């Protein structure tokens, strides 16, 4: 015998109420899955129409239309770049006091050390711009755009190793399985250019440490969101998008005719089978055809003015380098791609740090500056949010021996530095302070959730209201935490 | 195999009485978790993750429950407390595993050897042969016994032990070396020293890194007279088989140095200003045994160093002659290296050291590699039974040709057995520790925050384990597979339904909890579940019920009314229509073209992948420098494709195969332009189109209409309608004309994929038909099930 409650529930799920009450009765987004393909509403007109996001989005007027996230994978040392600590010279070589360390867990890579000698940076710092931003000699180019920068020296995280830490930045959780930030944004806001993915990923290897930490597809995956929101990683060799090019012997004309044939046959099938999904498939094939032109058009930088190419430095001519990817990032946002993320590997300097970090800065200093200037010159900087940073910081004490010219640093989650510029960001300032040992935060801590909430807010999204029901729970990028950092919002 | 039996074997096959190899192998299911080899990873933390992975997987797959929510707190929606979650974990917590991982493609314990059927047969054959030959050998020995004894007795007192005066140490070398004679420390292996047959008995195998430490013996000084040597078999030309020399202290000490197969002796105080180096003019052979021996008279002069090869004095040249100071060093004597450099790659046997310079005839005696010699020199009264048996074997080996033949065969069988054993793969399996591990509630799910100790058990919401059931993994498996379990049959039949209809009766096939979707047809689900049990869990029978049902056999044609009433066909007023899963799309293309190789089992295969696909983001691991297989391995079912969790085959992921880091029961189904690009341009599909075209041109008739019909029927299992035929013929004709004008383009297209070209088929025609076949493979009807 069924209880009243069960009958009521069943009644509520009968076909008349199914679609309208989907949300109220805890249904999964099955309805959404069926009609939404993530790439377009069904049109066959061939025009470049934007792809809308969720109904009701954005929640408020956005400052940023696009995001370029310059992820520095491996964790750049904040003491070498942004967080100037002159007093460390006085305690050089001394053991990190227990009062400072205050129970911070060590990794298996330094826990066996008998000593934790403080290692001041051998690089010198100066202040730049109206905001008096401290930057090291390793960043000569970035120093010239100090007036655009907003440096956060008080980032902190709980993750102490790369995979959980990057996963945390990307998905709001140290354990993988959840959608990445770019996927959330694609899902929520859609994209401006239907011919390109909403979320594009570009990777590059660092000269400072070419054998450094690997990356995983799931870092830009869609998790439990429908897979069309996943980041599409453009490759560094061959077709930037996998299987983009026609096979040898099939030119664009033959391909066009063949697609016409497929389309005609599918339209016949449509009338027979009646399945509206067939329309979607027809339009996806048309989109694929357009991508075969739009992607090479995107990656063909030969028509860029030489003055622009020179800004980025000589690496811009070598596909798969950070410089080349920065230029591509500008071209992607010009074409309306919503979320562009670069991953530059090679910052994990457990040893040989002074030499290695010079290599990394050589890779990134000039192209990053060029990208910001390039966006500014084209009037895009006020609509594009640019973020630069890694997954955690590095220890003030040396990993391995400390010599006059050489030291290494282990992972340090309690404080690290990132910077932002572009849409909606207050420029020419820094927030957050760490103690003299660059070990603990003393002012204005910013968590990873806070950062993600801020990014979403700049895109016009209330991070608490962009959710997706899965396993009975309304998930969001910021889990159950995070507040946008109002101090840095213009 | 019925589903209940299958369930029990997957979950607890190892715990069944007299578990067969296959039953143990089945438990590998619960070892398919991630293994973390990262530097600094905490083993216990990962062991806990592994246990929890098992619980989450088992609960989702068999019980349709999201038990994993109970890791950190009581389940928010379902009646599973956190304590009950950890009680459930306890069933999977007793595997003798550490949670640590090796950064190498090895299987992590517990493992078992998993010989194939033919390997098992081979092993049995060899084992039988061995038993036969052993018996034969023993019989021959017994028959020879009187003659052997007579010979041994006759040699009594006639054989003298090699020089004993001044013997410091004589060793038997192997991976477990021993001191045979002399007053020296027991030798000690450092590193991976191997063992092999020596010239006489056993030899140590060194690789340039591993060595044998002989301790403080051989503490010679410049004006001492002394001797040393060994049997050596170099592998390559250079290295130090025996030394007491400190490379870090300007090479102070003495050594024996094989120098591009020439033999050198160094006596060094400080290299090169205070040292002696003498090198033979002759060379020994790499890969062969030579007795190399050195005597020295304490004169610090090159003439005082005598090098003997195989017992014969070998003329030598002095390369350095400046020795004045002391060569005494405190580092230990070593076989296989100097102290700090110059490791020897090869085999060394029978090293010995003397505190005097032996004479020619003594050295000759030492080089006489007769294994019997040492044994016969021992007086009969002092000889052990083993030593006498060895002598008897030696006699038979030398005098009984039948024995020699038998022993040879036995050695051969042993070698073959060893080779075969090396080919047998291992598999990771489940085992149960004799005493279960303590299992704790983990506060907020953190591995090292132990709450209450718990014991294995089921959540109270479920019917309890029947009285008398052991509360262990086997008991759990039997309870899951029981007809009385309220969930197992429902969850299973729902998944079968999902497979055929695209969506389960319960749409959330991984979750039957309170937040899950209500069944669209509850009575149907009840009936299917009970029917499955009634049919004794016969999966084929229940699936036959489903596919023979009137519901399934409905046409999937949808009218606008049906669509508006029931867009996702939850009410089943029409048959199912949905895009095939990734594996089936690829397998189908291979099947319709005739490429599919239907072999079952075997190692993973490597199909086509884009060049360098995994090298950009992967620094370690064995999928870098990926090269696809050749031959039939390219055309196996997709289920056999090699898979790296962090870098999945793109064709599969583009068609919604989930990542395999954790269990995902239900897939999404998407429709993207990237999928279109795969079907249009990926090598597998282009090749399949070409191979289908080849078949069409050779077997499909002689007119375009016949050929198009043949191709159409191969792919879609029906004839084309007149309208479809018009479209296809028109496209075909256009392309034939185009490719005949541009045969170079045709050649390029038909060269794609490793499968051989059909001889006698013109490239332009083949190219045109290839594109027609490609059209067919890209039709919506082809990649949808309807």
């Amino acid at each position: 015998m069924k209880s009243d409650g069960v009958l009521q529930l069943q009644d509520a799920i009968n076909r008349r109420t199914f679609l309208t009450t989907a949300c109220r009765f805890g249904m999964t987004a099955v309805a959404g899955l069926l009609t939404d393909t993530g790439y377009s509403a069904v049109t066959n007109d061939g025009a470049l129409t934007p792809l809308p996001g969720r109904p009701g989005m954005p929640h408020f007027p956005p400052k940023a239309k696009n995001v370029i996230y310059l992820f520095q994978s491996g964790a750049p040392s904040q003491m070498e770049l942004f967080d100037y600590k002159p007093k460390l010279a006085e305690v050089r070589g001394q053991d990190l006091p227990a009062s400072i360390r205050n129970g911070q867990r060590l990794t298996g890579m330094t826990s066996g050390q008998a000593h934790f000698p403080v290692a001041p940076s051998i690089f010198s710092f100066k202040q730049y711009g109206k905001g008096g931003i401290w930057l090291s000699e390793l960043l000569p180019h970035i120093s010239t755009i100090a007036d655009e920068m907003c440096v956060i020296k008080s980032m902190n995280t709980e993750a102490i190793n790369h995979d959980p830490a990057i996963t945390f930045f990307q998905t709001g959780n140290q354990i993988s399985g959840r959608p990445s930030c770019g996927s959330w944004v694609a899902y929520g806001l859609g994209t401006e250019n239907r011919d390109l993915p909403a979320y594009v990923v570009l990777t590059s290897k660092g000269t400072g440490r070419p054998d450094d930490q690997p990356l995983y597809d799931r870092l830009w995956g869609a998790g439990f969101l429908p897979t069309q929101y996943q980041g599409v990683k453009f490759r560094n060799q061959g077709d930037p998008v996998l299987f983009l090019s026609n096979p040898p012997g099939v030119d664009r004309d033959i391909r066009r005719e063949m697609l016409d044939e497929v389309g005609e046959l599918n339209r016949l099938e449509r009338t027979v089978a009646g399945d509206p999904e067939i329309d979607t498939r027809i339009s996806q094939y048309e989109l694929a055809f357009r991508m075969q032109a739009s992607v090479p058009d995107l990656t063909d930088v030969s028509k860029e003015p030489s003055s622009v190419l020179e800004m980025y430095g000589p690496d811009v001519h070598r596909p798969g380098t950070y410089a080349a990817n920065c230029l591509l990032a500008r071209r992607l946002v010009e074409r309306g791609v919503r979320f562009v993320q670069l991953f530059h590997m090679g910052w994990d300097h457990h040893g040989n740090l002074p030499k290695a970090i010079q290599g990394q800065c050589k890779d990134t200093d000039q192209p990053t500056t060029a990208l910001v200037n390039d966006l500014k010159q084209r009037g895009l900087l006020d609509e594009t949010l640019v973020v630069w940073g890694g997954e955690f910081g590095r220890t003030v004490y040396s990993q391995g021996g400390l010599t006059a010219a050489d030291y290494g640093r282990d992972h340090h989650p309690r404080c690290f530095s990132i910077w932002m510029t572009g849409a909606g960001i207050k420029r020419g300032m820094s927030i957050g302070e760490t103690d003299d040992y660059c070990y603990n935060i003393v002012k204005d801590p910013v968590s990873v959730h806070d950062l993600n909430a801020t990014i979403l807010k700049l895109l016009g999204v209330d991070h608490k209201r962009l959710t997706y029901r899965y396993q009975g729970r309304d998930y969001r990028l910021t889990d159950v935490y995070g507040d946008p950092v109002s101090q840095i919002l213009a | 195999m019925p589903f209940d039996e299958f369930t029990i074997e997957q979950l607890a096959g190892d715990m069944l009485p007299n578990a067969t190899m296959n039953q143990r192998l089945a438990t590998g299911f619960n070892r398919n978790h991630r293994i973390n080899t990262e530097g600094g990873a905490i083993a216990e933390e990962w062991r806990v993750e592994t246990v929890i992975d098992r619980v989450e997987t088992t609960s989702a797959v068999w019980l349709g429950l999201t038990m994993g929510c109970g890791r950190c707190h009581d389940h928010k929606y379902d009646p599973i407390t956190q304590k009950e979650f950890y009680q459930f974990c306890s069933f999977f917590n007793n595997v003798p595993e550490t949670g640590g991982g090796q950064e190498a493609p090895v299987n992590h314990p517990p493992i078992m050897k998993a010989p194939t059927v033919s390997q098992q047969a081979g092993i049995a054959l060899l084992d039988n042969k061995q038993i036969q030959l052993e018996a034969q050998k023993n019989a021959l020995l017994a028959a020879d016994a009187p003659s052997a004894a007579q010979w041994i007795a006759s040699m009594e007192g006639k054989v003298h032990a090699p020089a004993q005066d001044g013997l410091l140490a004589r060793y038997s070398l192997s991976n477990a070396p021993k001191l045979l004679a002399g007053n020296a420390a027991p030798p000690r292996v450092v590193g991976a020293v191997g063992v092999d047959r020596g010239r006489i008995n056993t030899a140590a195998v060194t690789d340039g890194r591993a060595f044998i430490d002989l301790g403080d013996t051989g503490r010679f000084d410049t004006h001492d007279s002394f001797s040393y040597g060994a049997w050596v078999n170099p592998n390559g030309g250079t290295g130090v088989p025996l030394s007491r020399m400190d490379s870090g202290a300007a090479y102070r000490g003495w050594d024996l140095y094989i120098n591009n197969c020439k033999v050198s002796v160094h006596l060094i105080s400080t290299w090169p200003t205070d040292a002696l180096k003498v090198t033979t003019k002759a060379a020994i052979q790499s890969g062969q045994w030579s007795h190399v021996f050195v005597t020295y008279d304490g004169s610090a002069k090159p003439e005082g160093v005598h090098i003997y090869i195989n017992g014969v004095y070998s003329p030598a040249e002095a390369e350095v002659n400046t020795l004045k100071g002391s060569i005494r060093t405190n580092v230990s004597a070593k076989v296989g290296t100097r102290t700090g450099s110059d490791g020897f790659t090869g085999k060394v046997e029978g090293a010995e050291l003397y505190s005097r310079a032996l004479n020619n005839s003594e050295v000759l005696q030492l080089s006489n590699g007769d294994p019997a010699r040492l044994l016969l020199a021992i007086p009969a009264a002092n000889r052990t039974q083993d030593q006498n048996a060895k002598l008897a074997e030696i006699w038979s080996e030398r005098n009984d040709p039948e024995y020699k033949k038998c022993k040879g065969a036995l050695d051969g069988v042993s070698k073959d057995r060893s080779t075969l054993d090396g080919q047998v793969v291992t598999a990771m399996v489940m085992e149960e520790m004799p005493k279960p591990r303590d299992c704790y509630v983990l506060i907020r799910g953190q591995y090292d925050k132990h709450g209450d100790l718990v014991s294995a058990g089921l959540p109270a919401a479920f019917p309890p384990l029947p009285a008398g059931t052991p509360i262990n993994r086997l008991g759990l498996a039997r309870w899951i597979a029981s007809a009385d379990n309220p969930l197992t049959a429902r969850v299973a039949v729902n998944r079968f339904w999902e497979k055929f209809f695209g969506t389960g009766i319960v749409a959330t096939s991984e979750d039957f909890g309170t937040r899950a979707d209500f069944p669209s047809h509850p009575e149907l689900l009840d009936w299917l579940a009970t029917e499955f049990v009634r049919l004794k869990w016969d999966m084929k029978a229940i699936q036959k019920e489903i596919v023979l049902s009137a519901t399934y056999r409905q046409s999937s044609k949808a009218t606008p009314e049906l669509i508006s009433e029931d867009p996702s066909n939850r009410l089943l007023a029409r048959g199912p229509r949905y895009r095939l899963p990734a594996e089936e799309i690829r397998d189908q293309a291979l099947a319709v073209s005739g490429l599919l190789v239907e072999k079952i089992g075997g190692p993973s295969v490597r199909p086509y992948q884009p060049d360098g696909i995994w090298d950009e983001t992967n620094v370690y691991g064995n999928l870098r420098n990926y090269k696809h297989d050749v031959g039939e391995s390219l055309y196996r079912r997709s289920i056999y494709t090699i898979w790296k969790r962090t870098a999945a085959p793109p064709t599969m992921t583009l068609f919604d195969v989930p990542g395999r880091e954790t269990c995902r029961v239900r897939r999404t189904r998407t429709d993207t332009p990237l999928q279109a690009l795969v079907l249009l341009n990926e090598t597998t599909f282009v090749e399949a189109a070409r191979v289908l075209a080849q078949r069409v041109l050779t077997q499909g008739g002689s007119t375009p209409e016949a050929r198009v019909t043949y191709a159409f029927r191969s792919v879609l299992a029906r004839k084309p309608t007149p309208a479809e035929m018009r479209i296809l013929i028109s496209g075909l004709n256009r392309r034939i004309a185009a490719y005949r004008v541009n045969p170079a383009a045709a050649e390029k297209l038909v060269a794609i994929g490793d499968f051989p070209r059909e001889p006698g088929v013109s490239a332009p025609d083949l190219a045109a038909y290839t594109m027609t076949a490609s059209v067919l493979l890209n039709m919506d009807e082809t990649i949808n099930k309807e």
Side-chain angles (χ1 to χ4, degrees), chain A residues 34 205 211-212 214-215 218 227-228 233 235-236 243 245 249 255 261 266 269 273 275 281 284-285 472, chain B residues 77 515 558 568 577 611 615-617 619 656 661 670 673 681-682 735 739 745 749 774 778 780-781 786:
Chain A
L34 293 170
K205 290 214 170 113
D211 69 336
D212 200 358
L215 298 168
R218 58 167 154 80
T227 47
Q228 62 264 41
K233 174 175 142 31
R235 301 196 58 219
N236 296 340
F243 316 122
S245 296
R255 176 56 78 214
E261 227 170 296
N266 282 343
E269 173 71 2
D275 184 354
R281 192 169 308 284
Q284 296 317 312
Y285 271 76
Chain B
Y77 315 118
R515 299 285 277 186
S568 25
R577 188 177 199 279
D611 276 338
D615 294 3
E616 280 170 21
T617 49
V619 177
D656 308 310
E661 302 221 15
T670 63
N681 298 329
E682 203 255 289
R735 276 191 293 275
Y739 278 119
L749 175 59
S774 178
N778 276 274
D780 185 84
E781 189 182 333
E786 59 174 29

